[in-house]
């Protein structure tokens, strides 16, 4: 059989990072098979394959390709996301080191392999230029995550969250698939550009069905990125999942969800912007407010951060509303900064956790006097999440909100800014517990040189991108420009 | 300027803070030494700046402008004029003295001094920035160290006080940020404050937002932000609590410098950028000033906690500043172009800001001295200390008299100028406000009598006298109080030209023309 009929050498070069990840995952699984106790080796292979894949992916920066007859596009937009996922993957692997053991579980090779598979899935989601590819990527991602979430198999909460995530996630995928089917039925194609041209040339079978399809696609995405009212799964899953997995779950897949959402709505349906903008407006508003108010009353730090990430998804929705390069670049900037802050925060929480302790606000009392550097880093991540200058969180919020104001969404931004104000309370509560209260017994962190270095880098980058964001802003502007 | 003198003012304490972080925590003396050196050099630089400052020119001097975030059109832009120079001097002086006031801090020394220097840098930055983005960042940078300083080194209710302070002031900053964004978009996407000062009055003229005049919307947003900082009634409730819980040096900074950020903001931002708003709001400002004066004095009179009394006296004294600021409308044609009154009011306001910084710093340091010895601040819990601590009593007497506005001491001149300035326009309000001075005298003298006069409380028969370190922190302030009380010209000269220019800007407002 002559394969060159189906794909070219260029296609294969394009998906080289995915291939590297696949090979890496297979190597890890083989190690697991023959030398189960070699956890450090599995971790090493995992990180190494992410680094190599990242190296190949970053070579694409500045150029763009259309691969597999338009199924996949490679450009600065997708490359930006590729690197984001890989960074999140590496950090997740580092903070996973010895974590499951501390929680009474066992790290198996599958754990690392699944993170690699999930990364592949996410890459397909933002590289995809076709509803089918997006769907494939989403499934690959979700299936890996379902297993990862339930990885503490002796823990009831972990099991509960895995089941919950599986059931609701399956529903969401169903919605997405049905939406894709309706779009295909009305436009006759699943390729984004063809859908867009079908809409502009008015070659649609039924307007109603197309709208329904778009609505269902939106519901599917809303589930994945946890927009209110489709967010119910996220606090339970974030809380029940191993914290190292939560760190991954709330950063990279969320970025992938938004990346794919942006791509679908901006490439395939830009002509219908007027139709879906009211819907997104309402979603953004609801998500910000409900997320915020729910976060206010939490006693569990992981749950608080879960609701806080719901709130951040609400802010990000504002960026999608904006629908111009400025909005897209603001979203990219925000997603990156958001990922760094959350990886840092969950990373620190995970290394403070031991058995039952380390996840409640109360456990953090008096931490600062024993572990000043760790507390300072966690405080920095909290302040950045709250959008406090001069951290990167402030610049992220600023670029996002100002892009929306220049498009005239003034009321939405005023509400968003007031929401930011409310959110400060729950972030600062953690700081108050660490710094202004004292306690007999404080948490004992599991500190490992590699872990310390990673947390240090995350913290420094939050400060760096807050004080000197110029380079990153230019990068995301470039990533946003080539895409549209 | 060749050697970026303003940047040094801001970056010296940051540098000091970084050095302190690197020193091991056991070396307490080294840490204090570094802090003292950093603020000491800063004070010297500030004094050099003062001598080189040309008080006869309008506009900003020693300007520095570098592109910072080019894609957001943000610049690192600094400059100083007759309004910010007194504030910068005050900041440098009080920061330096407060290092010595904090000398006996025992808990987490490293963190304390690192945060303190950061706070110093933030305050300096607020007074020197000429770019709104930069201004906002410094404004917030001030907030954070303050939050930690109150929350970690404060009294028994410190956590509540810190959170209340934080959320209150943050609410203000957020409103300010909305206002900054509004100006940014209305003035052609620039954060440059000098440019906005030139454009804003015309750019906003006649614009309606949701049926309101845009400049009034922006004015109100800015005003609430600054009112929380000053604090202006009814936004003052965070202040007594924060003051009482904060450690002495932090109270000094809080009352001495942070409160001025509010009135400075009104004079730096609201007046020149929104002159119509200034005229429109002047009446309300005068009324609020009167409430501040009377309410602050009455509350002070009712306190049994000495520190709380001093805190409320700040609310009273800031009322005079606002009254002086409202006098600016006297310069309008509608009010008879009474330039002398307007100048008296504005100059008085800024002088009062400076003087209050000095006096209140003295008062708080003195409260700290007695608290360190007796471990309580209950005014009725002392008695007859004058016999036991004659030097301390003498300094307290000086500070109290300055606080109640005794002629010959610095407090008097500022307050008198504010009252004189406002009198032609707001006669009734000024007459009521004068009673505030009377009330001031009442609570200061009454407290003095209860603490220092009468029979010596046996419990305190062997209370040690004020020590040399404490005297060292008080002497410069006392000298300034007496010197500026007799001869305020050095400070007035610095600000005169700038404030006259400010009056001209407000004068140009159409609301002041004769109809």
């Amino acid at each position: 059989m002559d394969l060159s009929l189906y794909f070219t050498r260029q296609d294969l070069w394009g998906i080289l990072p995915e291939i590297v990840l696949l090979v890496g995952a297979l190597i890890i699984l083989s190690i697991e098979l023959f030398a189960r106790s070699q956890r450090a080796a599995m971790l090493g292979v995992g990180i190494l394959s992410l680094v190599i894949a990242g190296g190949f992916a970053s070579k694409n920066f500045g150029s763009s390709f259309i691969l597999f007859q338009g199924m996949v596009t490679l450009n600065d937009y997708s490359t930006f996301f590729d690197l984001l996922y890989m960074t999140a993957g590496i950090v997740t692997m580092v903070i996973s080191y010895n974590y499951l053991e501390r929680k009474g579980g066992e790290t198996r090779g599958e754990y690392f392999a699944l993170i690699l598979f999930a990364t592949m899935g996410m890459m397909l989601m933002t590289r995809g230029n076709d509803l089918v590819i997006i769907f494939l990527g989403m499934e690959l991602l979700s299936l890996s995550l379902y297993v990862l979430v339930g990885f503490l198999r002796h823990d009831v909460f972990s099991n509960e969250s895995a089941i919950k995530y599986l059931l609701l996630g399956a529903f969401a995928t169903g919605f997405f698939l049905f939406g894709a089917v309706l779009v295909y039925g009305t436009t006759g194609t699943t390729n984004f550009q063809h859908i867009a041209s079908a809409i502009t040339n008015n070659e649609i079978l039924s307007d109603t069905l197309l709208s329904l399809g778009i609505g269902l696609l939106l519901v599917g995405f809303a589930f994945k990125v946890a927009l209110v009212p489709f967010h119910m799964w996220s606090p339970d899953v974030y809380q029940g999942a191993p914290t190292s997995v939560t760190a991954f779950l709330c950063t990279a897949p969320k970025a992938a969800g938004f990346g794919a959402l942006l791509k679908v709505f901006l490439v395939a349906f830009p002509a219908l912007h007027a139709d879906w903008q009211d819907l997104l407006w309402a979603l953004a508003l609801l998500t910000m407010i409900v997320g915020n108010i729910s976060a206010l009353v939490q006693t569990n730090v992981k749950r608080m951060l879960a609701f806080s990430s719901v709130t951040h998804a609400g802010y990000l929705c504002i960026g999608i509303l904006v629908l111009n390069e400025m909005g897209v670049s603001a979203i990219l900037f925000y997603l990156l900064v958001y990922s760094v802050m959350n990886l840092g925060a969950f990373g620190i929480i995970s290394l403070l956790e031991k058995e039952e302790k380390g996840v409640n606000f109360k456990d953090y009392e008096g931490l600062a006097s024993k572990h000043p550097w760790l507390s300072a880093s966690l405080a920095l991540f909290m302040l950045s999440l709250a959008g406090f200058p001069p951290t990167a969180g402030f610049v992220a919020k600023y670029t996002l909100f100002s892009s929306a104001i220049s498009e005239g969404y003034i009321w939405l931004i005023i509400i968003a800014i007031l929401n930011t104000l409310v959110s400060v309370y729950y972030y600062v509560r953690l700081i108050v517990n660490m710094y202004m209260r004292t306690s007999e017994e404080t948490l004992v962190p599991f500190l490992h040189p590699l872990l310390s270095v990673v947390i240090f880098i995350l913290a420094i980058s939050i400060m760096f991108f807050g004080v000197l964001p110029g380079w990153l802003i230019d990068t995301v502007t470039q990533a946003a420009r080539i895409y549209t | 300027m060749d050697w970026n003198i303003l940047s040094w003012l801001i970056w010296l304490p940051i540098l000091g803070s970084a050095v302190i972080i690197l020193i091991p925590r056991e070396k307490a003396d080294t840490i204090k030494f570094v802090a003292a050196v950093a603020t000491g050099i800063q004070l010297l630089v500030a004094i050099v700046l003062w001598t080189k400052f040309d008080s006869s020119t309008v506009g900003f001097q020693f300007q520095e402008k570098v592109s910072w975030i080019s894609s957001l059109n943000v610049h690192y832009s600094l400059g100083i004029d007759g309004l910010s120079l007194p504030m910068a001097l005050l900041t440098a002086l009080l920061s330096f003295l407060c290092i010595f006031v904090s000398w006996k801090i025992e808990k987490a020394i490293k963190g304390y001094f690192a945060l303190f220097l950061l706070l110093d840098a933030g305050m300096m930055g607020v007074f020197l920035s000429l770019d709104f983005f930069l201004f906002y960042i410094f404004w917030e940078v001030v907030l954070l160290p303050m939050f930690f300083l109150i929350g970690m080194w404060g009294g028994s209710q410190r956590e509540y006080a810190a959170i209340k302070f934080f959320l209150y002031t943050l609410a203000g900053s957020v409103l300010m940020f909305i206002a900054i964004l509004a100006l940014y978009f209305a003035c052609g996407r620039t954060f440059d404050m000098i440019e906005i000062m030139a454009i804003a009055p015309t750019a906003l003229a006649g614009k309606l937002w949701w049926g309101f005049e845009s400049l009034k919307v922006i004015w109100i947003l800015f005003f609430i932000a600054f009112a929380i900082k000053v604090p202006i009634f009814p936004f003052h409730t965070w202040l007594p609590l924060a003051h009482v819980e904060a450690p002495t040096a932090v109270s000094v900074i809080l009352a001495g410098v942070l409160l001025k950020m509010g009135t400075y903001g009104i004079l730096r931002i609201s007046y020149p950028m929104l002159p119509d708003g200034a005229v429109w709001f002047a009446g309300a400002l005068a009324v609020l000033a009167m409430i501040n004066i009377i309410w602050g004095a009455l509350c002070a009179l009712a306190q049994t906690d000495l520190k709380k009394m001093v805190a409320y006296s700040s609310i009273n004294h800031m009322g005079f500043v606002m009254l002086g600021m409202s006098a600016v409308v006297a310069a309008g044609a509608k009010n008879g172009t009474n330039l002398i009154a307007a100048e008296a009011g504005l100059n008085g306001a800024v002088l009062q800001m400076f003087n209050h910084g000095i006096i209140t710093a003295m008062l708080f340091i003195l409260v700290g001295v007695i608290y360190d010895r007796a471990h309580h601040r209950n005014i009725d819990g002392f008695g007859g200390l004058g016999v036991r601590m004659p030097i301390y009593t003498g300094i307290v007497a000086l500070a109290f008299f300055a606080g109640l506005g005794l002629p010959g001491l610095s407090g008097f001149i500022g307050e008198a100028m504010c009252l004189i300035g406002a009198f032609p326009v707001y006669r009734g309000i000024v007459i009521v406000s004068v009673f505030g001075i009377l009330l001031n005298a009442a609570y200061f003298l009454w407290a003095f009598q209860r603490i220092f006069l009468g029979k010596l409380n046996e419990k305190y028969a062997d209370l040690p006298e004020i020590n040399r370190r404490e005297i060292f922190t008080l002497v410069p302030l006392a000298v300034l109080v007496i010197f500026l009380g007799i001869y305020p010209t050095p400070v007035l000269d610095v600000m005169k030209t700038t404030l006259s220019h400010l009056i001209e800007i407000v004068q140009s407002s159409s609301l002041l023309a004769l109809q």
Side-chain angles (χ1 to χ4, degrees):
Chain A
M1 192 168 73
D2 184 10
L3 282 175
S4 63
L5 278 176
Y6 301 95
F7 49 79
T8 60
R9 184 184 296 255
Q10 200 194 15
D11 292 343
L12 281 179
W13 276 112
I15 58 162
L16 195 59
E18 279 98 331
I19 295 174
V20 170
L21 292 183
L22 181 67
V23 171
L26 293 177
I27 293 174
I28 291 172
L29 290 178
S30 324
I31 300 175
E32 160 73 24
L33 193 61
F34 298 110
R36 178 177 286 189
S37 57
Q38 298 296 320
R39 266 184 284 139
M42 296 189 259
L43 179 72
V45 174
I47 291 176
L48 195 67
S49 47
L50 281 169
V51 170
I52 295 173
F56 283 126
S58 62
K59 272 174 67 182
N60 294 332
F61 217 77
S63 49
S64 64
F65 310 96
I66 297 171
L67 307 175
F68 296 99
Q69 287 110 35
M71 297 285 264
V72 171
T73 50
L74 277 190
N75 49 28
D76 287 353
Y77 180 78
S78 69
T79 307
F80 174 84
F81 275 101
D82 290 346
L83 296 176
L84 174 61
Y85 307 144
M86 286 158 192
T87 316
I90 292 170
V91 174
T92 309
M93 288 200 180
V94 173
I95 62 178
S96 304
Y97 179 76
N98 209 18
Y99 171 79
L100 294 171
E101 278 69 20
R102 271 173 281 146
K103 292 290 280 183
E106 191 190 354
T107 313
R108 304 279 297 269
E110 299 98 279
Y111 184 87
F112 301 112
L114 283 167
I115 289 177
L116 295 183
F117 287 136
T119 309
M120 277 171 66
M122 292 187 289
M123 288 168 70
L124 285 179
M125 280 172 76
T126 37
R127 288 175 160 207
N129 190 38
D130 192 297
L131 286 173
V132 174
I133 295 291
I134 301 250
F135 177 73
L136 272 178
M138 210 187 234
E139 276 302 86
L140 183 53
L141 167 68
S142 301
L143 287 172
S144 316
L145 288 179
Y146 299 148
V147 184
L148 282 170
V149 164
F151 218 84
L152 282 173
R153 63 186 98 167
H154 304 293
D155 182 3
V156 183
F157 287 109
S158 184
N159 285 317
E160 181 203 330
S161 66
I163 287 288
K164 206 168 232 167
Y165 193 29
L166 170 67
L167 290 178
L168 290 173
F171 259 109
T173 323
F175 278 116
F176 181 90
L177 195 55
F178 194 38
V181 167
L182 287 177
V183 171
Y184 176 69
T186 47
T187 60
T189 174
T190 51
N191 180 289
F192 292 166
Q193 278 83 15
H194 296 168
I195 294 174
S197 62
I199 292 170
T200 42
N201 300 334
N202 211 7
E203 296 159 351
I204 311 162
L205 206 58
S206 150
D207 278 339
T208 329
L209 287 181
L210 180 64
S211 305
L212 193 62
I214 295 173
L216 288 171
L217 284 179
L218 189 60
V219 170
F221 279 121
F223 259 108
K224 290 290 165 201
V225 297
L227 300 179
V228 175
F230 309 105
H231 70 294
M232 291 303 193
W233 59 272
S234 75
D236 288 341
V237 173
Y238 282 24
Q239 183 188 1
T243 309
S244 50
V245 174
T246 312
F248 189 63
L249 190 60
C250 96
T251 53
K254 204 157 219 167
F258 272 107
L261 177 63
L262 258 180
K263 202 159 184 182
V264 171
F265 279 81
L266 267 61
V267 180
F269 310 124
L272 301 172
H273 180 234
D275 295 341
W276 48 265
Q277 70 166 355
D278 288 343
L279 204 61
L280 262 176
W281 199 96
L283 275 179
L285 186 75
L286 264 180
T287 308
M288 287 188 293
I289 294 176
V290 173
N292 238 332
I293 292 174
S294 315
L296 280 177
V297 294
Q298 302 305 323
T299 54
N300 181 301
V301 179
K302 278 166 82 177
R303 263 185 107 79
M304 181 277 278
L305 283 173
F307 280 113
S308 113
S309 87
V310 170
T311 313
H312 284 278
Y315 301 143
L316 283 160
C317 267
I318 297 172
I320 297 179
L321 268 177
V322 175
L323 191 81
N324 57 18
E325 273 172 22
M326 222 175 131
V328 176
S329 63
I331 290 186
L332 297 187
F333 190 94
Y334 201 104
L335 278 173
L336 181 74
V337 172
Y338 163 87
S339 301
V340 173
M341 316 186 274
N342 271 302
L343 282 170
F346 278 114
I348 292 179
I349 292 169
S350 76
L351 60 93
L352 286 168
E353 237 179 287
K354 200 174 181 193
E355 287 154 11
E356 301 297 308
K357 289 205 65 149
V359 287
N360 287 319
F361 274 97
K362 225 184 153 333
D363 300 338
Y364 286 79
E365 288 175 1
L367 187 69
S369 57
K370 294 277 163 53
H371 304 285
W373 286 105
L374 205 61
S375 307
S377 312
L378 188 52
L380 181 69
F381 294 130
M382 288 298 132
L383 290 170
S384 181
L385 280 165
F388 214 85
T391 59
F394 171 69
V395 183
K397 281 209 172 70
Y398 171 74
T399 48
L400 191 63
F401 292 172
S402 69
S403 74
I405 290 179
S406 48
E407 289 298 300
Y409 295 101
I410 292 168
W411 278 111
L412 196 60
I413 293 310
I414 290 179
I415 295 168
I417 291 180
L418 294 179
N419 260 301
T420 312
L421 180 62
V422 173
S423 75
V424 170
Y425 177 74
Y426 51 82
Y427 295 124
V428 164
R429 236 176 85 201
L430 192 63
I431 299 179
V432 166
N433 272 328
M434 289 191 296
Y435 281 90
M436 296 172 197
R437 292 188 181 166
T438 46
S439 164
E440 295 293 299
E441 53 172 330
T442 48
L443 299 168
V444 184
F446 168 81
L447 271 180
H448 181 269
L450 194 58
L451 258 172
S452 314
V453 168
V454 164
I455 295 214
F456 183 72
I457 292 173
L458 293 176
I460 288 291
S461 48
I462 284 291
M463 277 313 288
F464 180 78
F465 292 136
V467 177
L468 295 169
W471 171 78
L472 187 58
I473 291 179
D474 293 342
T475 311
V476 294
T477 310
Q478 193 192 343
R481 192 180 301 143
I482 290 196
Y483 150 70
T484 37
Chain B
M1 266 285 110
D2 307 321
W3 50 295
N4 302 332
I5 186 164
L6 298 185
S7 283
W8 280 105
L9 279 179
I10 297 173
W11 290 93
L12 265 172
I14 293 181
L15 199 70
S17 184
V19 171
I20 285 177
I21 288 175
L22 297 176
I23 300 173
R25 67 171 95 179
E26 296 79 32
K27 297 195 172 163
D29 287 338
T30 323
I31 289 172
K32 290 174 192 166
F33 179 72
V34 170
V37 167
T39 50
I41 301 176
Q42 188 198 29
L43 180 59
L44 286 179
V45 173
I47 291 171
V48 169
L49 179 70
W50 181 35
T51 57
K52 294 206 167 183
F53 182 79
D54 176 8
S55 54
S56 59
T57 49
V58 176
F60 293 94
Q61 303 177 29
F62 303 99
Q63 281 198 44
E64 292 169 30
K65 190 169 182 179
V66 189
S67 177
W68 174 21
I69 312 173
S70 55
S71 37
L72 303 181
N73 197 12
V74 171
H75 296 269
Y76 174 80
S77 167
L78 306 176
I80 199 160
D81 68 353
L83 174 59
S84 36
L85 181 60
M87 295 301 110
L89 278 171
L90 187 67
T91 309
L93 175 66
L94 292 187
S95 300
F96 176 65
L97 293 179
C98 279
I99 298 297
F100 297 95
V101 174
S102 325
W103 211 254
K104 288 282 174 242
I105 289 279
E106 274 161 15
K107 181 181 163 192
I109 292 173
K110 190 168 153 177
Y112 180 89
F113 285 101
L115 285 169
F116 203 95
L117 292 181
L118 212 56
L119 176 68
D120 180 9
M123 296 184 300
M124 208 44 116
V126 167
F127 293 131
L128 300 182
S129 319
L130 289 181
D131 184 286
F132 256 136
F133 202 86
L134 191 66
F135 177 83
Y136 181 73
I137 287 182
F138 280 126
W139 186 275
E140 297 285 67
V141 163
V142 169
L143 189 50
L144 263 188
M146 203 44 153
F147 168 66
F148 283 104
L149 286 170
I150 297 175
M152 290 176 69
W153 288 272
S156 53
Q157 263 190 299
R158 56 176 191 260
E159 188 190 317
Y160 176 63
I163 292 185
K164 190 165 180 178
F165 163 79
F166 192 73
L167 291 183
Y168 236 106
T169 32
L170 191 66
S173 343
V174 163
L175 294 181
M176 182 170 86
F177 193 62
I178 296 177
I180 290 176
L181 283 180
L183 278 179
Y184 172 79
F185 283 104
C187 297
R189 308 200 172 201
T190 174
F191 283 116
D192 189 325
M193 283 160 83
I194 303 173
E195 226 172 282
I196 292 178
M197 283 179 204
I199 303 171
T202 42
L204 292 173
K207 247 187 212 168
L208 285 184
W209 289 345
W210 312 291
F212 299 103
E213 279 176 56
S214 58
L215 79 102
K216 288 184 184 172
V217 175
I218 299 179
W219 171 275
I220 290 290
L221 289 171
F222 271 127
F223 182 73
I224 296 176
F226 297 138
I228 290 174
K229 216 58 174 200
V230 174
I232 297 173
F233 180 90
F235 301 109
H236 66 283
T237 54
W238 63 267
L239 177 122
L241 191 67
H243 272 95
V244 170
E245 296 305 324
T248 303
V250 177
S251 300
V252 170
I253 293 293
L254 195 56
V257 184
L258 250 70
L259 305 192
K260 275 76 197 172
M261 279 165 56
T263 42
Y264 172 82
I266 298 179
L267 288 175
R268 165 66 69 238
I269 293 168
S270 305
Y271 270 43
M273 291 180 194
L274 313 159
D276 283 358
V279 175
W280 166 68
F281 204 78
L285 190 67
V287 172
L288 288 169
M290 179 184 73
I291 298 176
N292 253 41
I293 292 170
I294 299 296
W295 182 265
L298 285 176
C299 288
L301 200 54
Q303 298 309 317
T304 53
D305 182 327
L306 186 59
K307 205 172 185 185
K308 231 173 185 162
M309 186 196 90
V310 175
Y312 276 110
S313 85
S314 288
I315 296 179
N316 164 292
H317 285 134
M318 293 310 281
F320 287 103
V321 177
M322 288 146 58
L323 196 60
M325 287 181 346
S326 69
V328 74
V329 290
K334 218 176 182 177
N335 296 314
T337 328
N338 191 345
L339 267 179
I340 297 174
E343 273 174 16
L346 270 196
N347 284 300
V350 179
L351 184 65
Q352 170 74 353
M353 279 157 74
F354 188 79
N355 285 339
H356 173 250
I358 306 277
I359 297 170
T360 204
M362 271 187 92
L363 290 170
F364 275 113
I365 295 174
L366 289 164
V367 173
V369 168
I370 192 74
Y371 182 73
D372 285 344
R373 286 165 174 68
H375 304 291
H376 77 88
R377 296 181 299 251
N378 189 355
I379 299 177
D380 294 315
F382 300 103
L385 291 188
V387 193
R388 183 66 215 141
M389 308 167 73
I391 304 174
Y392 178 68
T393 311
I395 303 176
V396 172
L398 178 73
F400 275 20
F401 286 135
L404 63 82
L406 190 76
L409 299 177
S410 67
F412 170 74
I413 297 180
E415 285 171 21
M417 285 173 77
C418 293
L419 292 168
I420 292 168
F423 188 71
V425 199
Y426 304 110
R427 214 154 283 190
I429 290 172
V430 170
I431 291 170
V432 177
S433 303
V434 170
F435 283 101
I437 298 191
L438 199 66
L439 291 170
N440 271 353
Y443 64 78
F444 273 124
L445 292 178
W446 191 29
F448 190 78
Q449 182 230 330
R450 282 183 286 173
I451 298 172
F452 297 102
L453 306 181
K455 209 168 140 278
L456 177 65
N457 187 339
E458 287 310 314
K459 236 169 52 183
Y460 300 117
D462 48 358
L463 215 56
E465 176 63 287
I466 184 166
N467 64 28
R468 265 192 230 151
R469 175 181 59 83
E470 289 157 344
I471 291 180
F472 169 72
T473 59
L474 287 161
V475 164
L477 301 173
V479 168
L480 275 173
V481 164
I482 298 169
F483 179 74
L484 293 179
I486 301 165
Y487 189 64
T489 321
V491 181
L492 283 173
D493 271 350
V494 164
M495 60 179 88
K496 220 167 171 177
T497 319
T498 307
L499 294 179
S500 299
H501 179 63
L502 187 57
I503 292 170
E504 275 167 36
I505 295 173
V506 177
Q507 231 177 347
S508 66
S509 160
S510 56
L511 295 176
L512 277 174
L514 280 171
Q515 264 112 28

